[in-house]
Amino acid sequence: MTTPTPRANWQDIIEAHDEERGNGAIHLSNRDLLLPADRFVKRHIGPRSHDVTKMLRTLGLNSLDELIDQAIPDNIRMDGYLALDPPRSESGVLEELRQMAAKNKVYRSFIGMGYHGTITPPVIQRNVLENPGWYTAYTPYQPEISQGRLEALINFQTMVTDLTGLEIANASLLDEATAAAEAMTLCHRAMPRSSTANVFFVSELVHPQTIAVVRTRAEPFGFKVVVGNHEEYDFAEATFGVLLQYPATNGDIHDYRAFAEKAHKAGALVVAATDLLALVLLTPPGEWGADVALGNSQRFGVPMGYGGPHAAFFATKDEYKRIMPGRLVGVTIDATGKKGYRLTLTTREQHIRREKATSNICTAQVLLAVMAAMYAVYHGPVGLRRIATRVRLLTGVLAAGLKQMGYQVNQGAPAVFDTLTVSGGRRSDIELRGAALGHGINLRYYGTTGVGVALDETVTVADLEALLAVFGAQEGEIDIADLADGVNLDYDAPFRRESDFLTHPVFNSYLSETEMMRYLKRLENRDISLVHSMIPLGSCTMKLNAAAEMLSITLPGFAALHPFVPLDQAQGYQELFHNLEAWLTEITGFDSCSLQPNSGAQGEYTGMLTIRAYQIARGQGNRHLCLIPASAHGTNPASAALAGMDVVVVATDDHGNVDVADLRAKAEQHRDKLAALMITYPSTHGVYEAAIGEICKIIHDNGGQVYMDGANMNALVAICRPGDFGPDVLHLNLHKTFSIPHGGGGPGMGPICVAAHLSPYLPGHAVVPGVGGAESLGTVSAAPWGSASILPIPYAYIAMMGEWGLRVATEIAILNANYVAEKLEAHYPVLYRGANGRIAHECIVDPRHLKDTAGVSAEDITKRLMDFGFHAPTLSFPVPGTLMIEPTESESLAELDRFIEAMILIREEIRAIEEGRMDHDNNPLKHAPHTAEVVLAAEWDRPYSREQAAYPADWVRRGKVWPTVSRIDNVYGDRNLFCVCIPIEEYA
C-alpha cells in the first residue's frame, strides 16, 4: 500500500455537465484536459456526479466518504491507498496489450494433447464471441428470457450425444482433465452401496495433464489411482472405474471392446476421453462399451488461447443422469403447452447437495459451448466429415513420407487419426528440435522414445512440406500429391463409424453464412442480456463488460498459442501473468497468487486443497473438519467435501451475521480436528460483519485456517484488503469483480490469493515446469494458467480503472445498492442491514408475507419483471422466498429508477389483489410473462387489459423485449426428461 497522496475524487473522475454554463460545458481544469480524452472510468461508472449527489441526498448524506464510514466497519479499512497506477486511457492499455501479444511467438504448433489449431468461422466469431448480446447474458436460470442460449446448448448436447453414441450429455464442463476427474467420482458414486472398490485405473496412454488432475482429485477421497497398460491390467484389486484415451495421447487407436467387457465383468465402469472430430470417422465410444465419454470441444472453432477457456463435453448413459455432474438443458412445455427449454433436474446439481456432494460444479463454459455447437451447425455432418477426412488424409501423407525417409511411425498401432509418434530415422532428437525451431514449428518431444506430431484443419500442403523438411527431407525428395493418391481414407472394422450423426434439421439448415447469421440473431433476440437492461442478480455482479476490455482476446498473439509451447515463446503472456498476479495480491493484501483455477468453484476447491496441504505438511493431517456458516453458497460445503473435509454448520443470528458464540463453541469443541473456516465477506446477506476479525482469531487460536469466498469482493476493492484483517486464502471471481463476462453461464476464472505460509502449496503442472509452489498440492486444471486467453480482460479493467477508479467503483456499487434499498424499503422490507442501517453492495428484499396476503410468491414477481424488460434478481438465495438485488456500479441512476419503478408498479398490482380489485388467481403476476403470441391472440379472456399485460409502464414501449415462451412448467420437464433437439415435427 502507499501513503495518502493528492488524488482525484469522484467529482473529478465522473464528468458532469456544468448546468450553469450550459452548452455541454464540464467541470474540468486545464490540467484535467492534459490527460487523454478516452478515460475509461467515466465510461464504466454509471451515475454522473450530479446523480451521485442526488442519491446521497436521498440517503440523507453529504458525501461518499460519509456513506463508506457508515457502511464499512472501521477496523477492516485500509490505511493508505493501493500501490497501483492512476487510471490509464483505453487506447494506451490496448496498445500495451497489443505489444504484449506481439511478444508471444506464434509458431505452428503440432503438439496435440487435446489442443489443436482450428478455424473459427467469422460468422461465429463476429456474431457470438464478439457479440455482447451473447457474452453479457447470465446463466439461464430464468428460462423464459433465455430460450436462445438454451436452444444453443441443446444443440451442443445433441452434437455430443450423436458423436459419442451415448444417451445424455450435459451442457459442458470446464476442461477435459477436470471432466475426467468428475467422471471418476461418478463411477465411484454409481457403485452399489455394498461395494468396497477403491481403485481407479488410468491408461498410461491418457494425456499427462489429465492423469495429474485425476490424481489430485482422487487423493482427498482416498481413491487409489493406478496408471498402467490397459492390456496388462488384471483387475486384481477391486476397481470402480477405468479411464482410456480414444485416440490415445500418442495417436494410436485401440480396439477397447475386449477391455471394456473385462472391466464390466469386474464391476467397473468405463470412461473414454475422446476427440469429437475423430468421432466423425471412428466408432463412437458408446458403441464399444464406454459408460462415459468426455473431452475437449476446442477444435470445433474455439481458439487454443494458451489453454482456455474451452468447453469440455461429458456424455453418459441414461441410467447415470441423476449423478452426472454439471448443468443439463431439457425440453418442457410452457403455460400454453408450447415447447420450451429449461435447466432440468436441477436438484441433482452437485452444489445443491452441499457437503454430500461428489462435485462442486455450479457453472459451465456456455459461450464456448455455443461456439462449438454453432461450428457443428454451420458445417453440418457433411462439412464435418470433409474436415475430418482431410485431417486423416494429411496425417496419412505425413506418415507415408516419414516412412519413406526411414522413420518408424506409431509402431504396432492398427490405426491413427491425426497424431503420429515418430522414432528412428535420419535425425536425432537434438537435430529435430533445432530444425523445428528453425522452421517456427513446435512438436511434442517424448525424450528418447520419439517425437509427436498432431495435425488439424489449419494444416496446409506447405505445412506438410515444412514438417518433412524438419525430419530431413531434401527438396523434391517427397511428392506429396503422389503420397496423397495412395492414402486409404476408410477405416477398417472395428474402427469405422457406421452410425449416422447430426441428422436433426438444425445441423442441416444453416450452411450459408446468410442463414447462419439470421439463425444466430434469432436466438440472440430470445434472451435478455446487458444490452437490454440491468441484470440485478445478487451475488453475481453483472457489471459492464466493456468493449475495450474484450478487444484483445482475439489477437493472434493471445488466441493462437498452444498451452504447452516453450515458455520463451510466451513471454507476453508471462508478463501479463506477472503483472496481474502482482495487482491481485496488492488488491487483496496477500503474498502469492495462482491463476490456474478456471472457475469460482475451482478456486474454492483449490483454496481448500492449499489449506489441506499446509496442514499435512506441518504434521497435522488429522485436521479435516471445516466450519461453514448456514448462509453459505452451496459450493462452499461441496468444495470442502471435495478437499476431503467434514463439514460442521455454524448458525447465523437474526441479523444474518455469523453467530460468534456458536462459532467459538464449535471451534473449541473440534479444536483437535479443525482445519478451516469458509466464510464469505461481505456476507451472503449483503452486510459487513463487524466481528470478522474476531471470527478469524477464533479459528486461528484453535489451529485452523480461514478461507474467504471472494464472491462479494466488489464491495471491498481499494477500501479493504482481506489479507489485512484475518483470512489466509481467498478466491476471486474475475467474472464478477474484474469484468470477465459471464457468457450466459461461463467462462469464469477463480484465481486464489494466499498468505506467505500457504504459498509453497500453490498448484503446479505436470507438463509445464516452474508453475506453482515448491511443495505443490498437485494440478487442478488442464492448463497451467487456467483460461489464459481471457486474462487480458481483468488486466485491462484494472489498468484502465487504476487505484482511483477501483475505489470509486466500490463506492458507487455500495451507493447504488443503498439507494435501491432505500427506495424499495416502503414497498418490500429489506431483510438485513449492517451498522447504521447500511448495506454493502447488495440487498435482500422480503416479499414472503405477500404469499399470505395476495397469494403472490417471489417467483411471480420475477416473472412479472420480464414484462418490464428486466432479468430477475437472485431468487430464494440465501433466504428462501426472497429476492437479492445487486445493481453494480455500472448502472446509471436512470436505469436504477426504471427498475425501482417496475418493482413498485408490481407491488401496486399486488396491492390490487390484496384489496380485491384484481382476481386472486387470474392476474398479470400469475400469468407472467406475457408473450406477443398470447397478447395478440384472437381471444382474450383475462380481467386485465392486453396493454397492462404487455406495457405495464410507458417506457416499456420504447424497447419492448418479448419473452418467446410463457411461464415454463418445471415439473413437466423433470417428469418427461428430453435433453436433445426437439424433433422437427414438434416445433410450434
Side-chain angles (χ1 to χ4, degrees), residues 389-403 409 416-420 455 464 480 483-484 486-489:
T389 303
R390 181 175 180 274
V391 170
R392 173 160 165 72
L393 171 66
L394 294 168
T395 308
V397 169
L398 181 59
L402 291 170
K403 290 176 182 177
V409 180
V416 298
F417 172 59
D418 64 355
T419 300
L420 304 177
L455 305 186
L464 290 183
I480 289 177
L483 292 180
V487 173
N488 178 13
L489 297 178

Side-chain angles (χ1 to χ4, degrees), residues 605-895:
Y605 165 66
T606 307
M608 297 307 291
L609 284 183
T610 306
I611 291 173
R612 174 185 170 85
Y614 166 75
Q615 300 283 26
I616 291 173
R618 64 179 188 151
Q620 298 192 18
N622 60 300
R623 292 187 174 275
H624 56 81
L625 190 139
C626 182
L627 300 179
I628 300 180
S631 61
H633 192 280
T635 54
N636 283 183
S639 296
L642 259 64
M645 298 189 185
D646 298 324
V647 173
V648 172
V649 177
V650 177
T652 53
D653 64 23
D654 293 340
H655 301 289
N657 300 314
V658 172
D659 186 326
V660 176
D662 188 56
L663 174 77
R664 179 179 286 105
K666 287 174 176 172
E668 292 174 353
Q669 176 189 352
H670 301 289
R671 64 175 302 126
D672 294 333
K673 298 185 292 183
L674 180 63
L677 165 74
M678 298 186 81
I679 188 168
T680 302
Y681 198 82
S683 74
T684 52
H685 292 138
V687 297
Y688 298 94
E689 298 187 47
I692 184 63
E694 180 185 1
I695 288 168
C696 293
K697 186 176 186 302
I698 290 170
I699 299 302
H700 290 147
D701 287 348
N702 288 280
Q705 296 284 289
V706 178
Y707 161 87
M708 178 179 145
D709 186 320
N712 293 339
M713 192 70 192
N714 208 53
L716 297 177
V717 174
I719 297 178
C720 312
R721 302 199 312 168
D724 295 339
F725 59 76
D728 302 285
V729 53
L730 93 160
H731 91 271
L732 296 167
N733 289 323
L734 298 186
H735 50 287
K736 295 182 182 181
T737 310
F738 297 99
S739 284
I740 289 177
H742 285 71
M749 276 289 278
I752 62 169
C753 297
V754 300
H757 63 282
L758 297 181
S759 297
Y761 311 104
L762 291 176
H765 200 266
V767 179
V768 178
V771 178
E775 302 174 63
S776 167
L777 59 86
T779 305
V780 297
S781 299
W785 290 279
S787 296
S789 69
I790 55 175
L791 291 177
I793 300 170
Y795 187 98
Y797 174 75
I798 295 171
M800 292 188 298
M801 293 296 284
E803 191 276 327
W804 301 343
L806 290 173
R807 181 182 175 92
V808 171
T810 303
E811 292 171 342
I812 299 299
I814 296 169
L815 173 64
N816 281 358
N818 276 273
Y819 176 77
V820 170
E822 183 72 19
K823 298 287 278 189
L824 290 180
E825 176 70 57
H827 309 277
Y828 305 89
V830 174
L831 195 55
Y832 300 112
R833 292 184 182 271
N836 304 304
R838 300 302 177 195
I839 60 170
H841 65 312
E842 60 191 8
C843 65
I844 299 174
V845 297
D846 188 2
R848 289 176 294 183
H849 64 288
L850 301 177
K851 189 73 173 176
D852 296 326
T853 63
V856 170
S857 67
E859 183 180 18
D860 294 329
I861 295 171
T862 67
K863 303 307 180 185
R864 184 59 170 151
L865 273 170
M866 297 175 190
D867 289 326
F868 289 83
F870 282 111
H871 193 289
T874 299
L875 175 63
S876 289
F877 175 81
V879 180
T882 65
L883 299 171
M884 183 160 58
I885 301 167
E886 181 184 357
T888 85
E889 71 275 12
S890 298
E891 298 302 339
S892 68
L893 177 57
E895 185 70 356

Side-chain angles (χ1 to χ4, degrees), residues 350-397:
Q350 306 302 317
H351 70 283
I352 292 175
R353 301 183 68 244
R354 299 180 74 86
E355 64 271 13
K356 297 178 182 179
T358 53
S359 167
N360 69 344
I361 291 293
C362 74
T363 190
Q365 298 278 29
V366 168
L367 189 67
L368 300 314
V370 170
M371 290 180 66
M374 292 309 167
Y375 180 94
V377 169
Y378 194 43
H379 287 295
V382 174
L384 290 180
R385 186 174 289 278
R386 182 180 186 278
I387 292 169
T389 303
R390 181 175 180 274
V391 170
R392 173 160 165 72
L393 171 66
L394 294 168
T395 308
V397 169

Side-chain angles (χ1 to χ4, degrees), residues 450-472:
V451 176
V453 187
L455 305 186
D456 56 59
E457 68 168 316
T458 70
V459 172
T460 64
V461 171
D463 290 324
L464 290 183
E465 292 171 343
L467 283 166
L468 291 168
V470 165
F471 283 91

Side-chain angles (χ1 to χ4, degrees), residues 127 144 165 174 285 327 351 394 425 441 538 589 654 844 912 916 920 940 981:
N127 292 286
E144 295 86 355
L174 299 174
R327 293 205 172 105
H351 70 283
L394 294 168
I441 284 174
D654 293 340
I844 299 174
H920 188 273
W940 181 262
C981 292

Side-chain angles (χ1 to χ4, degrees), residues 380-588:
V382 174
L384 290 180
R385 186 174 289 278
R386 182 180 186 278
I387 292 169
T389 303
R390 181 175 180 274
V391 170
R392 173 160 165 72
L393 171 66
L394 294 168
T395 308
V397 169
L398 181 59
L402 291 170
K403 290 176 182 177
Q404 183 177 316
M405 295 164 61
Y407 288 94
Q408 296 168 342
V409 180
N410 293 80
Q411 280 188 293
V416 298
F417 172 59
D418 64 355
T419 300
L420 304 177
T421 297
V422 186
S423 58
R426 58 181 72 168
R427 281 190 166 168
S428 68
D429 179 78
I430 293 177
E431 291 172 327
L432 282 173
R433 288 174 186 262
L437 290 175
H439 282 79
I441 284 174
N442 291 313
L443 304 174
R444 181 182 180 186
Y445 299 101
Y446 295 99
T448 59
T449 59
V451 176
V453 187
L455 305 186
D456 56 59
E457 68 168 316
T458 70
V459 172
T460 64
V461 171
D463 290 324
L464 290 183
E465 292 171 343
L467 283 166
L468 291 168
V470 165
F471 283 91
Q474 302 299 310
E475 187 174 353
E477 179 182 357
I478 305 294
D479 189 320
I480 289 177
D482 280 352
L483 292 180
D485 290 339
V487 173
N488 178 13
L489 297 178
D490 294 322
Y491 286 103
D492 296 327
F495 304 117
R496 183 176 62 249
R497 182 178 189 119
E498 302 289 354
S499 54
D500 291 333
F501 60 94
L502 304 188
T503 57
H504 190 277
V506 75
F507 298 104
N508 295 274
S509 301
Y510 308 112
L511 305 180
S512 74
E513 181 165 339
T514 302
E515 289 298 321
M516 187 65 181
M517 175 182 66
R518 291 171 181 163
Y519 177 58
L520 290 171
K521 193 64 179 178
R522 283 200 299 275
L523 295 188
E524 178 194 345
N525 287 345
R526 296 175 187 170
D527 294 1
I528 284 182
S529 67
L530 286 177
V531 305
H532 300 100
S533 56
M534 69 181 284
I535 299 179
L537 284 157
S539 195
C540 298
T541 315
M542 297 296 292
K543 63 168 66 178
L544 171 71
N545 314 122
E549 296 158 359
M550 300 292 294
L551 283 174
S552 298
I553 66 172
T554 53
L555 292 173
F558 289 137
L561 255 65
H562 191 286
F564 303 150
V565 301
L567 291 180
D568 65 357
Q569 295 177 26
Q571 288 304 295
Y573 261 122
Q574 295 305 310
E575 180 181 346
L576 187 148
F577 299 155
H578 177 270
N579 292 348
L580 185 57
E581 289 174 0
W583 293 345
L584 295 178
T585 53
E586 170 64 16
I587 288 168
T588 59

